[in-house]
Amino acid sequence: MTTRTADRPIRSEPLAVRRSWRLLWPVGLLLGALAGLQGLQENRSVLYVIGEVLVGWSLVAAALIALERRLPIRIVLVIGAIFGAWIVSSFAHSPYPSVEYVASSLQGFHDPLLGFLLLAYPTGRLGSPVARLVVGTWLVAHASMVGARFALERPLDWYGCLDCPGVIDAYIADRTLLDQLGTGYESARVVAASLVVAILLLRFGRASPPARRRMAPVVVAGVALAAGIAVIEVAFGVWGSLLQGDVGSLVASALPVLRILVAVSILVAVLRARLARASVADLAIELQRGVPIGGLRDVLARALGDPTAQILFSTGHGAYVDVDGRPATLPPATSARAATRLGSDERAPVLVHDPALSLDGGDLVAAVGSVARLALDNERLSAEVRAQLDEVRASRARILEAGDAERRRVERDLHDGAQQRLVALALRLHMARDATSSDDGGVTELLDKASAELEGALGELRELARGIHPALLTEAGLGPAVGALAERAPVPVAIHVPSGRYDRMTEATAYFVIAEALTNVARHAFATRVSVSAIRTDQELVVVVHDDGIGGANRELGTGLRGLADRVAAAGGTLGMESPTGRGTTVRACLPLG
Amino acid sequence: MSAPARPRTVLIVDDHPVYRATVRLLLESAGFEVVGEAADGRAALDLVIRVRPELVLLDVRLPDVDGIDVASRMSRGPEPPAIILISSRSASDYGERLALAPVAGFIPKARLSASAIEALLG
């Protein structure tokens, strides 16, 4: 991939070069007019002459606008060559035998050259070996035919017969070879024209939307011309006897019309790149109205006519983020995408787009980039903020995860340490109690009290450990852990929690939401029953705790719920509560999965 | 339960040595014969085949395999021993899992005694 810089458009080129281009306009238009007016000398109709002049001018305009629009130079040269071949052909019916001889021998080169242009547009390269073979064969075949004409035909005045009728054929001793060569060339022309149609349609079918828009007029006219050449050639070959006189002239006149169509289509295609700038004006208006943050990509894609366009912002050291702040990479050199840096600064945004948008020097991309500069800056700042926000979210989730891990460790330490020593002590107290006789002066009673105290301490320790992190949640998951919560709850709890495990953070967050909600029900709700449900969708786990209590709970007043809302948000979810007075309370947490 | 009504040979499975030592003292003073001690699930499964105890006191929370899983595997063997799960937590901490386990019962660790064992084994 080549990263182009689009803020140095054609204005940076030497002025003298641009002026020399302009000088070609009057020259080309004059030549076109002269060649067209040649028809007047041949007593052609006014319509024919106008058509000829229009073909010439269309070709001149297409070549010079293509040059100005910085289309590949090959395209300009091929259009120029077609223009030259057309001028030569226009003298094929000259009243001067020598001129007629040279012009009619050379005529017809514009067809293989048009084939070249159609297959090479808009890149200037034929692309596939098949296309090269088709165009190459057509050109060589035509050149061979021209060579044969020069070798086998001579103008009348070369034989000193200036007053002879102007029919060259009469002076050729044997036309058999020329006729055979002509038949062979016509067959080659039909095959070549048919292949041009097939390749054009195939390429059009595979092209990206921007490339299609660019190719469309040329492809339509090109297919019509190439198909016309093939069909008319075959028609004359098969029904030659029927296509005599006016009918034959009418059919044959279709080809010049189709050539006019191709010349005009090339002009239209070249001009369309200029017309596309109208979309830049629309873009300016749209930007002035204001584009929502994150919406600039769509607006630029619309202006460029490239729905796949992407904006990447540099974050330094060759790293990029997209408009959502997600890490992104520039397309590799082998990819079918082009990237244009919208500014000379290394940190300027990069537009990744269809390479067809670069073919006329990337002016549209540059214009869009210039108009959208301010909005792009805003979007870049927004993307940076979003990237930072993503990092903050990730960091908050990591902190939560670390906190949960610490809770699990503390619970395990309590279980493995103090709890084990205390239960061993309890057993020894029982043993001491069993070993003591009944008349020991109050020792038995003392041991019983100590055992009871120890039992109480152990109970409190268990509650503490459970509150820090329930071991059942770690070992068996949300369903069993919520089941254990429900068993201890003072209000009947109906549980609908699907079996299965979730990631630790989701399980812990869901559990603590349910535990806090059940605690609040027990303390404040005066409920007779509670339902706890968890619904798993593809994207999230929705936990709902509903009671039939007095309602009227205020989330702002409960520090427990407020803390939980923070915890749920850190896990990437949302926590909501509805508590209409007299109609119970519903706590709902939506937690993202995966 | 397929174990004898009043088993005398016992295997203690718990990862805390202090607690194991205390239980051994308690049981031996009550007339039981402690035929082995294991600190984790794998050692317990190995010992139960080798020493063939009539009773296994099995901690629910072991460092390698979950105690309830160990109980399930022991109960699938030939002539399985009677198994009593013990834990420093309460039964409610394990929910339904305890009720579904193939064991004679559950005793909180602090309340373990010969009479509690005999009450469970009938």
Side-chain angles (χ1 to χ4, degrees):
Chain A
M1 183 218 60
T2 52
T3 307
R4 305 179 67 261
T5 299
D7 70 339
R8 296 179 64 241
I10 49 177
R11 282 172 194 79
S12 62
E13 294 192 5
L15 209 56
V17 175
R18 290 168 54 76
R19 279 187 184 147
S20 67
W21 291 356
R22 287 176 185 168
L23 283 176
L24 289 173
W25 277 97
V27 174
L29 293 178
L30 191 66
L31 273 175
L34 284 176
L37 291 173
Q38 172 66 22
L40 287 180
Q41 271 197 314
E42 299 164 15
N43 295 321
R44 301 282 188 149
S45 69
V46 176
L47 207 62
Y48 175 90
V49 172
I50 292 173
E52 286 286 283
V53 171
L54 282 180
V55 170
W57 284 357
S58 297
L59 288 170
V60 168
L64 293 178
I65 292 173
L67 190 65
E68 188 193 322
R69 302 293 303 160
R70 303 171 93 200
L71 251 69
I73 194 67
R74 287 170 180 230
I75 293 289
V76 179
L77 292 177
V78 174
I79 299 175
I82 293 168
F83 179 61
W86 171 81
I87 288 179
V88 169
S89 296
S90 67
F91 286 91
H93 300 286
S94 167
Y96 305 108
S98 293
V99 175
E100 183 194 2
Y101 167 68
V102 174
S104 63
S105 297
L106 283 172
Q107 75 172 335
F109 254 118
H110 46 253
D111 280 346
L113 287 171
L114 276 168
F116 187 114
L117 178 64
L118 292 171
L119 294 186
Y121 187 83
T123 59
R125 295 183 181 280
L126 287 168
S128 69
V130 176
R132 280 197 289 274
L133 185 69
V134 168
V135 172
T137 308
W138 197 351
L139 279 168
V140 168
H142 194 86
S144 305
M145 196 62 214
V146 167
R149 279 198 212 113
F150 274 122
L152 298 173
E153 291 180 334
R154 293 288 182 275
L156 296 174
D157 55 350
W158 289 14
Y159 297 93
C161 182
L162 291 173
D163 300 327
C164 292
V167 181
I168 303 169
D169 299 0
Y171 283 80
I172 295 173
D174 182 7
R175 286 196 58 83
T176 313
L177 180 59
L178 198 59
D179 288 345
Q180 283 174 345
L181 284 173
T183 307
Y185 171 65
E186 280 160 15
S187 304
R189 217 161 95 94
V190 169
V191 172
S194 306
L195 287 172
V196 167
V197 171
I199 296 169
L200 271 178
L201 291 176
L202 204 64
R203 281 193 184 168
F204 190 71
R206 289 177 179 167
S208 62
R212 273 190 191 179
R213 266 193 304 282
R214 178 171 286 266
M215 290 164 70
V218 179
V219 167
V220 169
V223 166
L225 173 63
I229 288 173
V231 168
I232 289 171
E233 205 72 74
V234 169
F236 274 102
V238 177
W239 303 291
S241 55
L242 297 174
L243 297 174
Q244 300 289 335
D246 290 345
V247 179
S249 303
L250 190 68
V251 173
S253 66
L255 282 184
V257 173
L258 291 174
R259 287 192 193 102
I260 294 174
L261 198 65
V262 170
V264 172
S265 77
I266 291 166
L267 183 61
V268 168
V270 171
L271 280 173
R272 274 183 95 173
R274 180 180 285 271
L275 293 174
R277 285 192 158 189
S279 65
V280 178
D282 292 341
L283 171 67
I285 293 168
E286 198 163 354
L287 291 176
Q288 201 170 22
R289 284 185 189 143
V291 175
I293 291 297
L296 187 60
R297 190 215 74 85
D298 293 343
V299 173
L300 293 192
R302 227 172 13 250
L304 291 167
D306 178 6
T308 61
Q310 290 290 338
I311 307 167
L312 303 185
F313 299 103
S314 168
T315 55
H317 309 295
Y320 291 87
V321 293
D322 64 13
V323 288
D324 295 321
R326 291 181 300 237
T329 51
L330 291 177
T334 51
S335 91
R337 308 287 294 151
T340 303
R341 192 178 296 285
L342 302 173
S344 52
D345 178 8
E346 269 300 301
R347 297 203 56 177
V350 173
L351 193 68
V352 178
H353 56 84
D354 193 291
L357 293 169
S358 300
L359 290 174
D360 58 353
D363 283 1
L364 179 63
V365 175
V368 164
S370 299
V371 169
R373 177 63 58 84
L374 184 62
L376 278 165
D377 282 344
N378 286 340
E379 195 84 4
R380 177 179 58 77
L381 290 171
S382 164
E384 281 177 10
V385 168
R386 266 175 284 190
Q388 286 166 358
L389 190 60
D390 283 350
E391 178 50 36
V392 168
R393 283 196 185 117
S395 140
R396 193 160 65 155
R398 285 196 297 273
I399 290 168
L400 189 62
E401 184 64 49
D404 280 349
E406 189 60 16
R407 279 167 169 258
R408 285 193 294 274
R409 190 189 64 75
V410 170
E411 190 275 338
R412 204 166 44 243
D413 286 354
L414 276 178
H415 174 264
D416 290 344
Q419 250 179 332
Q420 299 306 319
R421 289 181 181 281
L422 290 176
V423 291
L425 180 60
L427 285 193
R428 286 180 188 272
L429 278 176
H430 286 308
M431 288 161 66
R433 164 74 175 78
D434 292 345
T436 308
S437 61
S438 54
D439 55 345
D440 53 11
V443 175
T444 307
E445 191 183 345
L446 209 58
L447 287 172
D448 282 343
K449 280 185 178 173
S451 283
E453 283 291 322
L454 189 53
E455 186 80 11
L458 271 169
E460 285 177 16
L461 195 57
R462 270 197 300 273
E463 278 302 313
L464 178 65
R466 200 182 285 135
I468 290 170
H469 195 90
L472 191 55
L473 182 66
T474 310
E475 289 160 8
L478 187 61
V482 173
L485 267 181
E487 275 185 28
R488 291 192 294 273
V491 183
V493 182
I495 303 171
H496 309 282
V497 178
S499 58
R501 299 299 301 259
Y502 308 91
D503 65 86
R504 279 180 170 179
M505 192 194 290
T506 305
E507 280 186 341
T509 307
Y511 176 86
F512 285 119
V513 166
I514 294 166
E516 179 66 22
L518 289 179
T519 302
N520 286 345
V521 170
R523 284 181 186 163
H524 313 295
F526 299 99
T528 58
R529 58 179 184 273
V530 188
S531 71
V532 175
S533 61
I535 301 152
R536 182 181 195 152
T537 68
D538 288 344
Q539 284 89 32
E540 58 184 9
L541 179 69
V542 181
V543 174
V544 181
V545 180
H546 174 73
D547 69 62
D548 64 349
I550 57 171
N554 184 349
R555 182 170 155 181
E556 298 304 317
L557 297 178
T559 52
L561 265 184
R562 207 162 48 222
L564 268 179
D566 288 343
R567 184 188 170 104
V568 170
T574 54
L575 182 72
M577 185 177 77
E578 289 173 22
S579 189
T581 304
R583 288 162 54 197
T585 300
T586 303
V587 174
R588 178 193 302 268
C590 300
L591 303 165
L593 293 174
Chain B
M1 190 190 70
S2 58
R6 285 183 179 278
R8 304 316 298 176
T9 56
V10 185
L11 170 65
I12 305 168
V13 185
D14 193 292
D15 56 328
H16 300 98
V18 174
Y19 187 75
R20 282 203 308 272
T22 309
V23 173
R24 174 183 277 269
L25 198 62
L26 183 147
L27 293 180
E28 285 178 347
S29 67
F32 288 89
E33 181 191 355
V34 177
V35 292
E37 290 180 24
D40 57 48
R42 288 179 206 287
L45 288 166
D46 183 47
L47 264 180
V48 85
I49 294 167
R50 287 199 284 122
V51 303
R52 299 258 168 222
E54 292 165 304
L55 171 66
V56 177
L57 288 178
L58 179 59
D59 189 6
V60 179
R61 197 176 188 185
L62 294 169
D64 54 353
V65 192
D66 178 77
I68 294 174
D69 290 342
V70 173
S72 297
R73 283 151 79 170
M74 281 182 180
S75 67
R76 287 199 294 269
E79 295 177 33
I83 302 167
I84 292 176
L85 290 169
I86 55 175
S87 176
S88 53
R89 300 198 185 95
S90 64
S92 70
D93 280 326
Y94 299 105
E96 285 186 344
R97 296 182 72 222
L98 273 189
L100 299 172
V103 298
F106 172 84
I107 303 174
K109 277 186 180 179
R111 292 186 186 166
L112 186 68
S113 64
S115 56
I117 291 171
E118 281 163 1
L120 274 182
L121 298 179

